[in-house]
Amino acid sequence: KCVEIDVHEAAGNIIVKHGYTATASILFADVIEAISKYSEKHPGHYPIIISLEVHLEPLMREKMAEILLEHFN
């Protein structure tokens, strides 16, 4: 399973959005939490590959890494 996530910053938050579409953005932490919970409930569905398209400044990238480590460490 492969999930591609387009990561952006908006108003100091790390968000996931699909550019130039009518979809709403959601928090990156919520997306990662959902993937983490799914993988815990369905361990036979491994591996889950997460492909990140990152559009963040270095400081926000550190924050993004902290979120990933919190859920997948």
Side-chain angles (χ1 to χ4, degrees):
K1 315 248 179 307
C2 182
V3 179
E4 181 180 332
I5 304 172
D6 295 334
V7 186
H8 299 265
E9 180 182 353
N13 292 311
I14 300 173
I15 62 165
V16 173
K17 69 177 184 175
H18 191 68
Y20 309 109
T21 65
T23 59
S25 61
I26 56 176
L27 292 175
F28 176 75
D30 291 346
V31 172
I32 296 304
E33 181 180 2
I35 294 170
S36 175
K37 285 183 177 179
Y38 175 86
S39 65
E40 289 173 6
K41 288 183 180 180
H42 304 281
H45 289 224
Y46 286 116
I48 296 176
I49 300 166
I50 300 173
S51 172
L52 299 172
E53 185 175 317
V54 181
H55 304 276
L56 299 173
E57 296 296 324
L59 185 60
M60 295 304 281
R61 289 178 186 205
E62 289 180 30
K63 193 173 177 182
M64 179 188 72
E66 290 171 5
I67 293 168
L68 288 165
L69 287 171
E70 177 183 331
H71 292 283
F72 296 114
N73 193 3

